[in-house]
């Protein structure tokens, strides 16, 4: 087929949320596309879409994500605009993406993955281990909450909703003694100095797909598929194939604390996974390796193993 490239007269419309981090990710996507095809900036339109998850009233409530509607809070309106043709592609933080896409949409383009670690952020202490007994931790992540309480059951964890800037403001106001942010987001915002320290995966396994940017398109838009192929990062896709298969086989919603990280070493994938009770009282982990081509199978097998370890009573809190 003959590739039709975007132009100032017919720009590629890039849909994104309006937070500073979301915009930084959209700008990175635009930059990579411009470089790949030597196109002017005017060949692309950044289209800001307000999602339910961006509603200030919801953010102010500081309630758990699952009570507000799950990960779809940050994608529903964007995907509706993608399906209607109002935008041509959508740029997402992959850790926020449900494992299933709406009919007619595909999520198969990934930019090179950033740092996968969590950042510990505190105005008073350097590391998580330095927190005094009974310190207040602010986080909206079910995974981080469970991991923290498993590691330090003395800590008091409070809900902390909002984008990076909102959470840092709450921290400065003394709502909590510390919080956690994805180091990838801070790096993309040029705010790595905000991190008091980075947390090794051995101490806090990150969220599935943390640090990765995904680009969603209409399944029948073959021209856009060809354009996006030029910026797709294959190693990131190989790692995410294992991680997202693991997540899908366990629980693709936001109702279960799940962590997972796949690393690539030559032709071999190494996957580490963790599932916890929300109160941190129990953590079940696994680690295994497989050839690259078996990534999705690796993720499913690890999920099955962890479910077998967990036993029938592990998820009773969800009923």
């Amino acid at each position: 087929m003959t590739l039709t490239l975007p132009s100032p007269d017919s720009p590629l419309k890039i849909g994104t949320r309006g937070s500073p981090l979301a915009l930084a990710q959209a700008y990175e996507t635009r930059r990579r596309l411009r470089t790949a095809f030597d196109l002017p900036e005017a060949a692309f339109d950044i289209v800001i879409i307000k999602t339910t998850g961006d509603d200030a009233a919801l953010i102010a409530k500081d309630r758990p994500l699952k009570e507000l509607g799950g990960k779809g809070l940050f994608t529903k309106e964007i995907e509706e605009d993608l399906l209607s043709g109002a935008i041509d592609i959508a740029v997402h933080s992959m850790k926020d993406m449900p494992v299933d896409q709406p009919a007619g949409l595909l999520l198969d383009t990934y930019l090179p993955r950033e740092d996968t670690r969590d950042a510990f952020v505190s105005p008073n202490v350097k590391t998580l281990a330095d927190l005094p007994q009974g310190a207040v931790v602010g986080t909206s992540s079910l995974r981080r909450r469970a991991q923290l309480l498993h590691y330090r059951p003395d800590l008091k964890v409070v809900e902390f909703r909002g984008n990076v800037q909102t959470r840092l403001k709450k921290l400065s106001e003394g709502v909590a003694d510390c919080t956690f942010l994805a180091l990838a987001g801070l790096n993309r915002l040029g705010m790595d100095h905000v991190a008091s320290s980075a947390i090794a995966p051995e101490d806090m396994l990150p969220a599935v797909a943390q640090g990765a940017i995904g680009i969603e398109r209409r399944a029948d838009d073959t021209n856009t598929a060809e354009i996006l192929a030029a910026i797709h990062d294959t190693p990131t896709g190989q790692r995410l194939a294992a991680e997202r298969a693991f997540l899908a086989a366990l629980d693709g919603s936001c109702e279960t604390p799940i962590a997972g990280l796949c690393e690539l070493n030559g032709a071999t994938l190494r996957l580490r996974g963790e599932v916890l009770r929300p109160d941190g009282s129990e953590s079940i982990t696994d680690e295994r390796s497989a050839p690259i081509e078996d990534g999705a199978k690796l993720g499913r097998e690890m999920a099955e193993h962890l479910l077998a370890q967990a036993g029938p009573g592990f998820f009773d809190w969800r009923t």
Side-chain angles (χ1 to χ4, degrees), residues 169-224:
K169 183 173 184 291
K170 290 179 180 180
L171 192 62
S172 70
E173 292 169 347
V175 177
D177 297 306
C178 71
T179 191
F180 297 83
L181 297 165
L183 194 54
L186 293 178
N187 288 344
R188 289 188 173 113
L189 288 168
M191 297 174 61
D192 53 305
H193 60 280
V194 166
S196 303
S197 58
I199 306 176
E202 291 72 24
D203 296 325
M204 182 179 278
L205 202 62
V208 165
Q210 185 157 305
I213 295 172
I215 304 172
E216 194 174 23
R217 62 176 174 86
R218 288 183 294 279
D220 61 0
D221 188 349
T222 54
N223 189 74
T224 295

Side-chain angles (χ1 to χ4, degrees), residues 2-313:
T2 302
L3 188 62
T4 303
L5 293 174
S7 68
D9 291 331
S10 182
L12 185 81
K13 296 182 286 294
I14 303 173
T16 177
R17 296 170 62 203
S19 72
L21 178 55
L23 288 171
Q25 294 177 161
Y27 296 150
E28 181 178 345
T29 301
R30 180 179 64 186
R31 177 179 59 79
R32 290 180 181 277
L33 286 169
R34 285 186 63 195
T35 301
F37 295 102
D38 192 24
L39 293 170
E41 188 172 297
F44 303 91
D45 277 346
I46 303 293
V47 181
I48 297 174
I49 301 165
K50 184 177 180 180
T51 70
T52 306
D54 297 314
D55 185 272
L58 277 181
I59 294 170
K61 288 181 179 178
D62 273 336
R63 287 165 54 201
L65 186 60
K66 67 175 184 176
E67 292 182 13
L68 299 175
K71 291 183 179 181
L73 280 173
F74 303 109
T75 60
K76 180 175 178 288
E77 289 82 0
I78 295 175
E79 289 176 329
E80 287 173 348
D81 279 2
L82 187 54
L83 283 167
S84 74
I87 57 174
D88 299 305
I89 61 174
V91 180
H92 303 284
S93 291
M94 282 305 300
K95 74 182 182 67
D96 294 333
M97 289 301 288
V99 291
D100 296 318
Q101 274 63 62
L105 297 183
L106 281 181
L107 185 55
D108 59 0
T109 301
Y110 306 108
L111 302 188
R113 197 172 192 175
E114 246 282 5
D115 199 315
T116 62
R117 294 175 295 174
D118 281 314
F120 175 77
V121 183
S122 173
N124 303 312
V125 296
K126 185 70 175 175
T127 69
L128 175 59
D130 296 330
L131 281 176
Q133 287 279 315
V136 179
V137 180
T139 180
S140 60
S141 164
L142 194 60
R143 167 192 60 94
R144 289 177 180 137
R145 171 188 288 268
Q147 289 173 321
L148 287 166
L149 291 176
H150 183 72
Y151 175 64
R152 288 278 306 270
D154 63 286
L155 297 175
K156 180 184 177 184
V157 183
V158 297
E159 281 293 324
F160 232 47
R161 297 226 62 79
N163 61 31
V164 171
Q165 288 75 13
T166 300
R167 282 183 269 176
L168 291 176
K169 183 173 184 291
K170 290 179 180 180
L171 192 62
S172 70
E173 292 169 347
V175 177
D177 297 306
C178 71
T179 191
F180 297 83
L181 297 165
L183 194 54
L186 293 178
N187 288 344
R188 289 188 173 113
L189 288 168
M191 297 174 61
D192 53 305
H193 60 280
V194 166
S196 303
S197 58
I199 306 176
E202 291 72 24
D203 296 325
M204 182 179 278
L205 202 62
V208 165
Q210 185 157 305
I213 295 172
I215 304 172
E216 194 174 23
R217 62 176 174 86
R218 288 183 294 279
D220 61 0
D221 188 349
T222 54
N223 189 74
T224 295
E226 289 280 334
I227 292 172
L228 292 178
I231 62 169
H232 173 64
D233 186 67
T234 298
T236 297
Q238 291 166 335
R239 295 169 66 186
L240 262 58
E243 290 181 28
R244 283 175 61 81
F246 169 67
L247 178 64
L250 272 177
D251 179 3
S253 71
C254 293
E255 297 183 12
T256 304
I258 297 169
L261 177 63
C262 187
E263 294 163 307
L264 185 58
N265 183 14
T268 301
L269 294 172
R270 174 200 180 201
L271 179 63
R272 286 176 281 175
E274 179 181 25
V275 58
L276 307 100
R277 290 183 183 269
D279 63 2
S281 60
E282 189 174 358
S283 166
I284 303 170
T285 63
D286 193 14
E287 177 182 330
R288 53 186 65 201
S289 299
I292 286 174
E293 60 269 21
D294 294 333
K297 180 183 176 185
L298 172 66
R300 290 191 294 270
E301 288 180 348
M302 177 176 284
E304 290 166 5
H305 180 67
L306 288 180
L307 288 169
Q309 277 188 276

